[in-house]
């Protein structure tokens, strides 16, 4: 029974078996845009983007390391293949550099934002535009999107609206 559930999950999510890393253990991945990147390749892309974003902002390793609260040697290892950055550290770096996390991770996994590379780029560009908008413009865009979505997919629109409401309620509790 359990194997049937796993097989169905694998099939429903278009997962294929691959062998990763030094242990050469079987893991499951998607085939984004016809190519599966190894986890090492993903890490290399993350490192390159981290370096690019830091340099683009004109920040030296020593400066960024101080802002993040680690040594320059540790941060250098994040950029030079010796250490993997935690998600919380990555978010902290994005916060310090005032960059959107998508800008840091998009090149490593564009398939998470669209079914084709072009659609993924469109989503990335739309998110960038939205982040620069004023509050009133955001409300207008949100209302437009809800309206368009509810006409295209009425069954999903109610569920999405409820999820957004729940997120808003949870954020209010934190504040």
């Amino acid at each position: 029974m359990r194997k049937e559930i796993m097989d169905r999950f694998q099939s429903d999510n278009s997962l294929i078996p691959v062998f990763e890393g030094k242990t050469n253990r079987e893991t499951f991945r998607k085939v984004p845009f016809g190519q599966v990147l190894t986890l090492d390749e993903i890490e290399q892309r993350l490192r390159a983007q981290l370096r690019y974003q830091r340099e683009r902002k004109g920040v030296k390793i020593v400066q960024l390391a101080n802002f993040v609260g680690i040594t320059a040697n540790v941060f250098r290892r994040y950029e030079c293949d010796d250490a993997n950055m935690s998600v919380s550290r990555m978010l902290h770096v994005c916060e310090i550099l005032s960059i959107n996390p998508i800008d840091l991770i998009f090149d490593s996994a564009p398939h998470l934002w669209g079914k084709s590379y072009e659609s993924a780029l469109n989503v990335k560009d739309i998110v960038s535009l939205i982040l620069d908008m004023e509050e009133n413009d955001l409300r207008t865009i949100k209302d437009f999107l809800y309206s368009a979505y509810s006409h295209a997919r009425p069954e999903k629109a109610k569920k999405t609206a409820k999820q957004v409401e729940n997120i808003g309620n949870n954020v209010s509790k934190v504040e």
Side-chain angles (χ1 to χ4, degrees):
M1 178 74 168
R2 184 170 184 212
K3 178 154 177 32
E4 291 172 8
I5 294 170
M6 293 296 291
D7 288 346
R8 189 172 341 109
F9 184 85
Q10 179 184 346
S11 176
D12 290 349
N13 291 283
S14 304
L15 301 174
I16 63 162
V18 295
F19 292 88
E20 292 275 2
K22 297 172 182 115
T23 61
N24 202 31
R25 290 187 62 177
E26 183 180 58
T27 63
F28 290 82
R29 304 286 307 283
K30 291 190 180 205
V31 182
F33 317 138
Q35 176 190 16
V36 176
L37 295 177
T38 66
L39 296 178
D40 287 341
E41 290 169 325
I42 290 172
E43 287 294 337
Q44 288 171 356
R45 288 181 177 199
L46 281 170
R47 287 181 177 92
Q49 194 57 230
L50 175 62
R51 186 177 312 111
Y52 168 77
Q53 293 292 340
R54 178 184 56 75
E55 290 173 350
R56 186 175 70 85
K57 293 288 187 163
V59 178
K60 301 209 179 298
I61 287 178
V62 172
Q63 296 167 323
L64 187 52
N66 284 331
F67 283 125
V68 176
I70 59 176
T71 67
N73 284 338
V74 169
F75 199 87
R76 203 171 277 111
R77 290 189 354 228
Y78 289 152
E79 286 189 5
C80 299
D81 271 347
D82 296 321
N84 294 337
M85 187 182 302
S86 69
V87 173
S88 57
R89 178 78 68 207
M90 185 183 308
L91 292 172
H92 191 185
V93 168
C94 289
E95 177 184 15
I96 298 300
L97 293 176
S98 297
I99 60 172
N100 181 335
I102 292 175
D103 291 334
L104 194 58
I105 62 177
F106 180 82
D107 286 343
S108 300
H111 64 285
L112 296 176
W113 286 273
K115 293 180 180 176
S116 70
Y117 190 76
E118 183 178 353
S119 67
L121 276 176
N122 285 333
V123 169
K124 181 181 181 237
D125 291 345
I126 289 168
V127 169
S128 295
L129 290 170
I130 287 171
L131 290 173
D132 288 338
M133 289 183 166
E134 298 295 325
E135 188 69 32
N136 287 337
D137 296 331
L138 288 171
R139 229 176 275 115
T140 301
I141 294 292
K142 181 182 91 173
D143 292 345
F144 168 77
L145 290 174
Y146 276 141
S147 174
Y149 192 71
S150 64
H151 289 299
R153 296 181 169 175
E155 72 286 349
K156 287 192 171 188
K158 289 179 184 176
K159 182 179 177 183
T160 302
K162 186 67 177 168
Q163 289 171 335
V164 169
E165 181 182 321
N166 289 339
I167 290 169
N169 292 339
N170 290 336
V171 169
S172 297
K173 291 176 186 176
V174 171
E175 294 172 345

